[in-house]
Amino acid sequence: MKSVKAPVYLRNIQCQELTVLDVVPFGQTSTGVTHCFALRLEDPGWSHWRPGQFVMVRHPSFGLELIWGRAFSISRLVSSGLSLFIQAQGRGSERLSAANPGDKVTVWGPLGNGFAIQDKRTLMLAGGVGIAPFLAYAENHPTPHKLELIFGHRLPLETYPFDNAKTLVPEMTVSSFHERSPEDLPVFLEMVDEAIMNHATSGLVLACGPTPFLRAVKQMAAKHGAMAQLSLENKMGCGVGACLGCVIKDTKGENVQVCSKGPVFWSHKIEL
Amino acid sequence: MKSVKAPVYLRNIQCQELTVLDVVPFGQTSTGVTHCFALRLEDPGWSHWRPGQFVMVRHPSFGLELIWGRAFSISRLVSSGLSLFIQAQGRGSERLSAANPGDKVTVWGPLGNGFAIQDKRTLMLAGGVGIAPFLAYAENHPTPHKLELIFGHRLPLETYPFDNAKTLVPEMTVSSFHERSPEDLPVFLEMVDEAIMNHATSGLVLACGPTPFLRAVKQMAAKHGAMAQLSLENKMGCGVGACLGCVIKDTKGENVQVCSKGPVFWSHKIEL
Amino acid sequence: MASKTPTISDPRVSLPGLDLKNPIMTASGTFGYGLEYASFGKLEDLGAIVVKGLSLKPRAGNTMPRIAETPCGMLNAIGLQNIGVERFLEEKLPALPHDTTPVIANLYACDAAEFGELAAALAADERMGALEVNVSCPNVAAGGQAFGQDPKQAAAVTRAVKDAAGDKPVMVKLSPNVADITTVAKAVADAGADMLTCINTLLGMAVDLKTRRPRLANVVGGLSGPAIKPVALRCVWQVCQAVDIPVIGVGGISNATDVLEFILAGAHAVQIGTANFMRPDTVFSIVNELPILMNGYGVMTLDDLRGTLET
Amino acid sequence: MASKTPTISDPRVSLPGLDLKNPIMTASGTFGYGLEYASFGKLEDLGAIVVKGLSLKPRAGNTMPRIAETPCGMLNAIGLQNIGVERFLEEKLPALPHDTTPVIANLYACDAAEFGELAAALAADERMGALEVNVSCPNVAAGGQAFGQDPKQAAAVTRAVKDAAGDKPVMVKLSPNVADITTVAKAVADAGADMLTCINTLLGMAVDLKTRRPRLANVVGGLSGPAIKPVALRCVWQVCQAVDIPVIGVGGISNATDVLEFILAGAHAVQIGTANFMRPDTVFSIVNELPILMNGYGVMTLDDLRGTLET
Ligand SMILES: Cc1cc2nc3c(=O)[nH]c(=O)nc-3n(C[C@H](O)[C@H](O)[C@H](O)COP(=O)(O)OP(=O)(O)OC[C@H]3O[C@@H](n4cnc5c(N)ncnc54)[C@H](O)[C@@H]3O)c2cc1C
Ligand SMILES: Cc1cc2nc3c(=O)[nH]c(=O)nc-3n(C[C@H](O)[C@H](O)[C@H](O)COP(=O)(O)OP(=O)(O)OC[C@H]3O[C@@H](n4cnc5c(N)ncnc54)[C@H](O)[C@@H]3O)c2cc1C
Ligand SMILES: Cc1cc2nc3c(=O)[nH]c(=O)nc-3n(C[C@H](O)[C@H](O)[C@H](O)COP(=O)(O)O)c2cc1C
Ligand SMILES: Cc1cc2nc3c(=O)[nH]c(=O)nc-3n(C[C@H](O)[C@H](O)[C@H](O)COP(=O)(O)O)c2cc1C
Ligand code: FES
Ligand code: FES
């Protein structure tokens, strides 16, 4: 009998119960409905992981009612624990926002491939909660002074861990743009376009955010001939490449799993 | 158009969100699996209620997964709040046991008919959590010195609010019997039989507990010609007489709803 | 919410022979004879009240246990316990607000002739709003869902009821336990039904490992509740494509969002069933929330939304 | 727990041509090609591994979105995306522990002849443990569940596969989207199937009010998960009464208690599907818990429990 070997990208995945350390709310919005929080969990003790990878999470309150785990980027992983940065937008993230310290959540990860780390000027384009993986990215980058973060957001800035990013990695260049109304969008995209152009020849562009934003980045990168990676946020069933519910078409016309072959793809290799 | 009138037994029912004051565990058992607790809720402010009536309860964690409310006797209702005494035995009661102070639970009640209150020597026969309604009964009885409580239990005595009953209503006579093994059952039933005989001519017998226990009480009451009321614990869907899922056959051969026509029935009027 | 508008949305709906304040009906068997829920809201606020299934003579129903809870659902095998048409008309109907909210009877009988007799008895009472024919009950030995699984028998029952119903609108309630629900829907529509109700319960079962017995004395029973919502929505959508008469959606609806989803799929109105057990004021809350939610989605009337699903 | 005994319960089970360590199989399409789950447990501990549905040629599957979450369940319309039989045999099968745990292929084709061809290709490989014929997929334009809804077509496909399968055991997977599942079960058993798998998904649908679009690009899809367990259990029980060949139960099973409930209803073995998504180590946990739970109920072998439901 041949020995059973999982594909490389699956070798290190563990499914664990992790203790909730705390839930830290970030700037409550006036409506009180949409809100963001950091879910801090005990250190999973993984031997390897990469920024841009993610985890699937379940709280016991999901019961049998919520079938799938929920996918969240690794936002910070240090010896004191694993932080996820979460925007409550539905049934699962709301139940996670109500977690109590001491609760056990089920976590499987680290999942997916993660962002490229290259010794180049690197532009990080974050839209909304898309900022989450860039904290981990910047904190673990060998040459953080080569990093530039551009952050577009709709909710107030204090809703997001933007200040945390500045404090954690003071070497990097940061700027933020508050999109207060739909009219602001073209202004923001122009800012992004210029930044991509600036990174076109010798730089690397990374983007994480809503799909329309990623689509815009893809076009701009193509226009300027920039090397760009996009982190996709498709809805996930299993998180491990099995259900084929999260696929995206690559330029060869094949449907590939975002969870196991991504979530990070070279912009020019996928259709969006 | 005639005015819409609900049957008398339904007139006062309210469906409310009540705040959880606290969850008080009673004597954890060694296995840690089955355990009892008092769920204390803010005062519902009902204008009328009777001991032996019950409420249906839902915790938000039931979500869409647990369809039915869970039925619990009114164990105590004073201005400081409504107490339910609950044995965790399944999905719903376990989720209730994990309630936090400040949580809102949905409660509809007071439901059902309640026990008769007569100026007679009254024997209360309680098996296990069947003790719950007798606290309220004794506390609200006009002549508590005429009450005698016999309490049979399998878990240790401190698992139940037996001492509370003694403290709240010191006038009544109480005794308890610990059924440690199946061999103890006949001994207990003999004790019950003798007490029923003693209450046969001029007394009233009330019983609440597991169905086999109620069946035994019914037979003994018939044998001694005692007037007896039994409180049934059929599984309930709606709690208000609508679903017909909780019925029992009366001696006329009709299926009547335990939730709205009971849960208390004259022993000789039902088939068990 | 797609957009906000200052005007107030209008939830009224017109059905053959019935003008409803709103599209919210109760589902038969889950709301008793109506009065059981009178202390939780105003019955006259409802779109229509569909009462427990009635037969010519009173029925005692199945033996216990009759209900079992399942994940996001429940099984029932009540077996159509009811007080019979006579007592219903005498004791229950007078107390219902039939002048302002249509009261709809749900009919069960063992053959087409008996269905006709029952329909005649009910239609003769001017206080009745409409008749709903249950050809899809999985919990009775005779007839029941067998009628609803066979297009010919379902059509025969429909004709018998229509012939006896005079000018009372007739809705026929379909079973999802078929290979193709549109075949039965078309047969029933061709036989003259004014409306279709989709769906009755799915046939299911639960067992108890400790006792090694089924959880229902009847062994099998009808599955209802949020668990079946996707099946109900699919049936409503399929039937709306297949027939031209209005469809009443039912199955797993538990909030106002669910209601609008069924309208989007093509339903004219809906029924709330098992959700009444989740909390007894559910149907009244939904009535209150519906216009607000419509407003939130920029939907002024239900006609604007109905069947606009882009597929 | 009914009783405690000191001896250890034995979860092994014998099926036609297959001896299993335990009755726990994975359900096709929910466990990839097996390797996706290799880091969550030992694949060789499983009773059998049923892999994603295979076709003769690779298939790209349906357009996105393909999955939607529903109460206690999910809808899928993957559309049988797969790498084709050739690449499966070359790239995936060698890495699976086929020597110690039977690997079962799940077959999809557009007509009986193509099913035969596919069966021949798979049966020729001695590493294959058995063939499972999918005549019940609701998510493909051609064939799919139409085969499984028609006893004649289901029987024809069964014969074609049996003729081509040599000595490989053949199991046929039935659709619950029928009026009477026993009719198809009997037809397939008479056509020579060695085992039956019950059930595939229920046809369902979900919509998005904000976009007014279906939540699946395919509009309708297959409902699976705990929501459908009562329907699956009922189908298994009905089919076990109707045929003499072993039945593999599947639908909503998420723990060891569920497994024993299906055995109680008459199943020989079970498959774990959607529960693999709830947590990726589910199937391994169930394998571990099963003998302990059997012990708790005083069940020494599965034969002692199977079909002992008192009705
Ligand atoms: C690789 C990856 C990384 C990610 N990283 C992050 C991250 O770091 N932080 C973060 O916040 N998010 C992240 N996401 C997104 C996150 O996974 C989703 O926001 C989350 O799964 C939403 O789950 P939910 O249960 O809250 O919403 P769901 O309830 O599942 O809602 C999802 C969709 O269903 C609809 N919906 C919501 N509620 C209802 C309702 N009551 N009834 C009907 N429909 C409803 C909405 O249209 C919504 O789009 C990531 C996603 C991926 C794939
Ligand atoms: C009028 C009335 C008054 C009552 N008063 C009280 C009271 O004062 N205090 C009190 O403690 N109880 C009382 N009860 C009983 C109480 O209602 C039940 O114990 C409670 O509903 C159990 O709910 P559950 O969710 O915990 O159990 P459920 O999960 O609903 O379990 C119910 C049954 O299902 C089975 N079951 C349990 N768990 C599972 C599982 N995981 N999988 C499969 N099957 C399972 C068991 O066989 C159990 O008998 C009363 C009942 C009535 C009708
Ligand atoms: C306890 C119970 C009793 C029912 N009785 C009837 C009935 O008498 N006649 C009928 O046509 N449908 C009956 N039904 C079916 C419901 O009207 C409804 O079609 C079904 O439950 C699906 O809707 P839901 O998921 O909203 O409950 C009954 C359902 C339940 C749960
Ligand atoms: C994402 C997904 C893909 C599936 N693919 C297949 C398939 O390729 N072939 C097949 O026969 N069944 C397929 N099924 C059906 C399952 O094998 C199983 O019969 C069904 O999901 C019910 O079981 P469950 O409730 O345990 O998931 C699929 C189910 C899901 C959820
Ligand atoms: S989420 Fe299942 S394959 Fe990606
Ligand atoms: S619980 Fe519904 S009628 Fe009693």
Side-chain angles (χ1 to χ4, degrees):
Chain A
M1 191 192 98
K2 288 217 189 177
S3 75
V4 180
K5 283 228 177 83
V8 177
Y9 54 86
L10 286 171
R11 293 260 173 81
N12 293 314
I13 308 177
Q14 278 178 270
C15 180
Q16 296 162 284
E17 313 295 319
L18 298 180
T19 304
V20 173
L21 302 180
D22 53 21
V23 171
V24 186
F26 272 65
Q28 219 78 21
T29 60
S30 59
T31 65
V33 175
T34 310
H35 64 284
C36 294
F37 59 95
L39 176 68
R40 300 199 316 132
L41 306 173
E42 66 172 305
D43 177 10
W46 300 323
S47 54
H48 297 98
W49 69 279
R50 290 177 62 176
Q53 285 190 302
F54 69 101
V55 291
M56 294 285 278
V57 182
R58 282 182 78 80
H59 187 261
S61 62
F62 286 21
L64 297 175
E65 183 179 340
L66 302 191
I67 295 292
W68 304 328
R70 299 307 198 248
F72 300 105
S73 301
I74 298 166
S75 186
R76 205 165 176 227
L77 177 46
V78 289
S79 61
S80 65
L82 167 64
S83 292
L84 309 176
F85 184 76
I86 299 178
Q87 178 163 9
Q89 29 199 356
R91 296 151 290 195
S93 44
E94 265 156 30
R95 293 188 193 192
L96 282 169
S97 75
N100 288 308
D103 287 358
K104 295 274 182 194
V105 293
T106 307
V107 173
W108 56 107
L111 301 169
N113 53 1
F115 287 115
I117 297 190
Q118 300 182 342
D119 185 19
K120 282 187 182 165
R121 282 176 57 234
T122 301
L123 174 65
M124 300 175 289
L125 299 168
V129 284
I131 195 172
F134 290 127
L135 269 71
Y137 188 83
E139 212 182 3
N140 289 281
H141 202 279
T143 52
H145 61 277
K146 294 193 178 170
L147 300 179
E148 177 178 350
L149 170 68
I150 299 183
F151 178 49
H153 57 103
R154 292 199 176 136
L155 300 177
L157 193 58
E158 62 271 23
T159 317
Y160 303 96
F162 181 72
D163 283 343
N164 308 45
K166 285 197 294 189
T167 318
L168 282 175
V169 192
E171 302 90 335
M172 73 176 163
T173 313
V174 298
S175 55
S176 71
F177 184 91
H178 194 167
E179 201 187 316
R180 283 167 219 269
S181 73
E183 291 84 63
D184 292 342
L185 183 61
V187 186
F188 176 56
L189 289 182
E190 210 170 298
M191 182 171 154
V192 168
D193 188 66
E194 200 179 307
I196 292 178
M197 193 176 66
N198 286 339
H199 287 76
T201 37
S202 60
L204 173 66
V205 175
L206 310 175
C208 186
T211 307
F213 173 64
L214 297 182
R215 216 171 265 139
V217 171
K218 179 174 155 68
Q219 281 172 3
M220 296 171 191
K223 186 174 73 179
H224 299 300
M227 287 301 289
Q229 288 194 322
L230 311 178
S231 180
L232 305 186
E233 294 211 344
N234 286 11
K235 195 167 290 192
M236 297 198 165
C238 65
V240 300
C243 73
L244 304 175
C246 68
V247 300
I248 188 155
K249 227 183 230 344
D250 66 16
T251 38
K252 288 183 288 178
E254 261 181 49
N255 283 319
V256 297
Q257 298 98 316
V258 170
C259 62
S260 55
K261 306 290 176 65
V264 178
F265 291 91
W266 287 106
S267 171
H268 62 282
K269 292 215 170 141
I270 52 167
E271 285 175 20
L272 202 63
Chain B
M1 193 192 98
K2 290 216 192 180
S3 75
V4 179
K5 284 228 177 81
V8 177
Y9 55 86
L10 285 172
R11 293 259 175 80
N12 294 313
I13 307 177
Q14 279 178 269
C15 180
Q16 297 162 284
E17 312 296 318
L18 298 180
T19 304
V20 173
L21 302 179
D22 53 20
V23 171
V24 187
F26 273 66
Q28 219 77 23
T29 59
S30 59
T31 63
V33 175
T34 310
H35 65 286
C36 294
F37 60 95
L39 177 67
R40 299 198 318 132
L41 307 173
E42 65 171 309
D43 178 10
W46 300 324
S47 53
H48 297 97
W49 69 279
R50 292 176 60 176
Q53 287 191 299
F54 68 100
V55 291
M56 295 285 279
V57 183
R58 282 183 78 80
H59 187 263
S61 62
F62 286 20
L64 297 175
E65 183 179 339
L66 302 191
I67 295 292
W68 305 327
R70 298 308 199 246
F72 300 105
S73 302
I74 297 167
S75 186
R76 205 169 175 224
L77 176 46
V78 289
S79 61
S80 65
L82 166 64
S83 291
L84 309 176
F85 185 76
I86 300 177
Q87 179 162 9
Q89 29 199 354
R91 296 152 290 193
S93 44
E94 265 157 30
R95 292 187 195 194
L96 283 169
S97 76
N100 289 309
D103 286 359
K104 295 275 182 193
V105 292
T106 306
V107 173
W108 57 106
L111 301 169
N113 54 0
F115 288 115
I117 297 190
Q118 301 182 340
D119 185 18
K120 282 184 180 168
R121 286 177 54 232
T122 301
L123 175 65
M124 299 175 290
L125 300 168
V129 284
I131 195 172
F134 291 126
L135 268 72
Y137 187 83
E139 212 183 2
N140 290 280
H141 202 278
T143 53
H145 61 278
K146 293 193 178 170
L147 301 179
E148 178 178 348
L149 169 69
I150 298 183
F151 178 49
H153 57 102
R154 292 200 177 137
L155 301 177
L157 193 58
E158 62 271 21
T159 317
Y160 303 96
F162 181 72
D163 283 341
N164 309 45
K166 285 196 297 189
T167 318
L168 283 175
V169 192
E171 302 90 335
M172 73 175 164
T173 313
V174 298
S175 56
S176 71
F177 184 91
H178 193 169
E179 202 188 315
R180 283 166 219 270
S181 73
E183 292 84 60
D184 294 340
L185 182 60
V187 185
F188 176 58
L189 289 182
E190 210 169 300
M191 182 171 157
V192 168
D193 189 65
E194 201 179 306
I196 292 179
M197 195 174 64
N198 287 339
H199 286 75
T201 37
S202 61
L204 173 66
V205 177
L206 310 174
C208 186
T211 307
F213 173 65
L214 298 182
R215 216 171 263 140
V217 170
K218 180 173 155 68
Q219 281 172 2
M220 294 170 191
K223 186 174 72 180
H224 299 301
M227 288 301 290
Q229 288 195 322
L230 311 177
S231 180
L232 305 186
E233 295 210 344
N234 286 11
K235 196 169 289 194
M236 297 198 165
C238 64
V240 299
C243 74
L244 303 175
C246 69
V247 300
I248 186 153
K249 228 185 229 343
D250 67 15
T251 39
K252 290 183 288 180
E254 260 181 47
N255 283 319
V256 296
Q257 299 98 317
V258 170
C259 62
S260 54
K261 306 290 175 65
V264 178
F265 291 91
W266 287 106
S267 172
H268 61 282
K269 292 213 171 143
I270 52 166
E271 286 176 18
L272 203 63
Chain C
M1 310 282 150
S3 76
K4 309 251 172 205
T5 50
T7 32
I8 293 300
S9 296
D10 180 354
R12 284 176 302 177
V13 61
S14 278
L15 295 174
L18 297 173
D19 282 317
L20 309 187
K21 295 184 195 76
N22 60 62
I24 315 298
M25 307 181 179
T26 58
S28 178
T30 65
F31 207 67
Y33 300 106
L35 305 170
E36 291 84 347
Y37 286 91
S39 55
F40 303 108
K42 293 209 191 86
L43 293 177
E44 52 267 45
D45 287 350
L46 303 178
I49 300 167
V50 185
V51 296
K52 174 68 191 164
L54 294 164
S55 47
L56 270 179
K57 299 278 155 240
R59 287 174 57 99
N62 293 331
T63 48
M64 290 280 285
R66 293 173 168 190
I67 55 175
E69 203 179 33
T70 68
C72 286
M74 65 173 278
L75 290 166
N76 91 80
I78 306 299
L80 287 164
Q81 174 179 344
N82 77 96
I83 56 174
V85 66
E86 201 175 314
R87 279 184 59 196
F88 169 72
L89 294 175
E90 272 169 32
E91 298 171 20
K92 305 291 181 183
L93 187 53
L96 290 171
H98 49 80
D99 285 355
T100 48
T101 289
V103 175
I104 300 177
N106 177 274
L107 285 66
Y108 168 73
C110 293
D111 54 49
E114 195 182 324
F115 263 112
E117 205 181 328
L118 180 58
L122 285 159
D125 194 311
E126 58 174 21
R127 298 167 299 180
M128 290 306 313
L131 309 183
E132 182 179 67
V133 188
N134 181 0
V135 290
S136 46
C137 179
N139 302 324
V140 285
Q145 72 169 3
F147 288 132
Q149 290 176 328
D150 176 359
K152 287 213 190 82
Q153 288 192 58
V157 168
T158 305
R159 270 188 297 269
V161 171
K162 268 303 279 183
D163 287 348
D167 60 355
K168 297 281 183 223
V170 170
M171 41 218 262
V172 178
K173 188 161 174 183
L174 303 183
S175 169
N177 302 306
V178 294
D180 178 4
I181 195 167
T182 63
T183 318
V184 189
K186 281 184 214 149
V188 166
D190 289 346
D194 300 298
M195 293 170 265
L196 299 175
T197 310
C198 295
I199 58 173
N200 212 312
T201 52
L202 287 165
L203 196 61
M205 178 172 167
V207 299
D208 185 339
L209 262 182
K210 280 178 211 143
T211 61
R212 296 201 187 180
R213 288 178 171 280
R215 288 192 187 267
L216 301 175
N218 192 50
V219 187
V220 297
L223 181 65
S224 63
I228 72 165
K229 196 187 113 185
V231 175
L233 198 66
R234 181 266 299 175
C235 288
V236 165
W237 182 75
Q238 286 181 326
V239 169
C240 288
Q241 311 291 304
V243 300
D244 287 328
I245 56 176
V247 172
I248 321 295
V250 49
I253 299 176
S254 71
N255 56 42
T257 304
D258 292 345
V259 171
L260 292 185
E261 289 180 8
F262 275 78
I263 309 275
L264 177 60
H268 267 71
V270 298
Q271 297 178 348
I272 314 297
T274 299
N276 293 309
F277 306 156
M278 300 180 77
R279 25 188 315 168
D281 55 3
T282 301
V283 70
F284 303 104
S285 312
I286 294 178
V287 165
N288 289 336
E289 281 162 29
L290 191 70
I292 303 166
L293 191 71
M294 287 172 68
N295 230 34
Y297 280 107
V299 171
M300 285 300 99
T301 71
L302 294 175
D303 290 342
D304 295 346
L305 179 66
R306 183 172 308 109
T308 61
L309 189 73
E310 291 172 41
T311 56
Chain D
M1 309 281 147
S3 76
K4 308 251 171 202
T5 48
T7 32
I8 294 301
S9 297
D10 180 354
R12 283 176 301 177
V13 61
S14 277
L15 295 174
L18 297 173
D19 283 316
L20 308 188
K21 295 185 193 76
N22 60 63
I24 314 297
M25 306 182 178
T26 58
S28 178
T30 66
F31 206 68
Y33 300 106
L35 305 172
E36 290 84 346
Y37 286 91
S39 53
F40 303 107
K42 292 209 191 88
L43 293 177
E44 52 267 45
D45 287 349
L46 303 179
I49 300 167
V50 184
V51 295
K52 174 68 192 162
L54 294 166
S55 47
L56 271 179
K57 298 279 155 240
R59 286 174 57 98
N62 293 332
T63 48
M64 289 282 283
R66 293 173 168 191
I67 56 175
E69 203 180 31
T70 69
C72 286
M74 63 174 279
L75 290 165
N76 90 80
I78 306 300
L80 287 162
Q81 173 178 345
N82 78 94
I83 56 175
V85 64
E86 199 174 315
R87 279 185 58 196
F88 169 73
L89 294 175
E90 271 170 31
E91 297 171 22
K92 304 291 180 181
L93 187 54
L96 289 170
H98 50 79
D99 284 355
T100 48
T101 288
V103 174
I104 300 178
N106 177 274
L107 285 66
Y108 168 73
C110 294
D111 56 48
E114 194 181 323
F115 264 112
E117 204 181 329
L118 180 58
L122 286 158
D125 194 311
E126 58 174 20
R127 297 167 300 180
M128 289 307 312
L131 309 185
E132 181 180 65
V133 188
N134 181 0
V135 290
S136 46
C137 179
N139 302 324
V140 285
Q145 73 169 4
F147 288 134
Q149 291 177 324
D150 176 359
K152 286 211 190 84
Q153 286 192 57
V157 168
T158 305
R159 270 189 296 269
V161 172
K162 270 303 281 183
D163 286 349
D167 59 355
K168 297 282 183 221
V170 171
M171 40 219 263
V172 178
K173 187 161 177 184
L174 303 184
S175 169
N177 302 307
V178 294
D180 179 4
I181 195 169
T182 64
T183 318
V184 188
K186 281 184 214 150
V188 166
D190 289 347
D194 300 298
M195 292 169 266
L196 299 176
T197 309
C198 295
I199 55 174
N200 211 312
T201 52
L202 288 164
L203 195 61
M205 178 171 166
V207 298
D208 185 338
L209 264 182
K210 279 178 214 146
T211 60
R212 297 202 185 178
R213 289 177 171 280
R215 287 193 188 267
L216 301 176
N218 193 50
V219 187
V220 296
L223 181 65
S224 63
I228 72 165
K229 195 187 114 186
V231 175
L233 197 65
R234 181 265 299 175
C235 289
V236 165
W237 182 73
Q238 287 181 325
V239 169
C240 287
Q241 312 290 304
V243 301
D244 287 328
I245 56 176
V247 171
I248 320 296
V250 50
I253 299 175
S254 70
N255 56 43
T257 303
D258 292 344
V259 171
L260 292 185
E261 289 180 9
F262 274 79
I263 309 274
L264 177 61
H268 268 72
V270 297
Q271 296 179 348
I272 314 297
T274 300
N276 293 310
F277 306 156
M278 299 179 77
R279 15 188 322 163
D281 55 3
T282 301
V283 69
F284 303 104
S285 311
I286 294 179
V287 164
N288 289 337
E289 282 162 27
L290 192 69
I292 302 166
L293 191 70
M294 288 173 67
N295 230 33
Y297 280 107
V299 171
M300 285 301 96
T301 70
L302 294 175
D303 290 341
D304 296 345
L305 180 66
R306 184 173 307 108
T308 61
L309 189 73
E310 292 171 41
T311 57

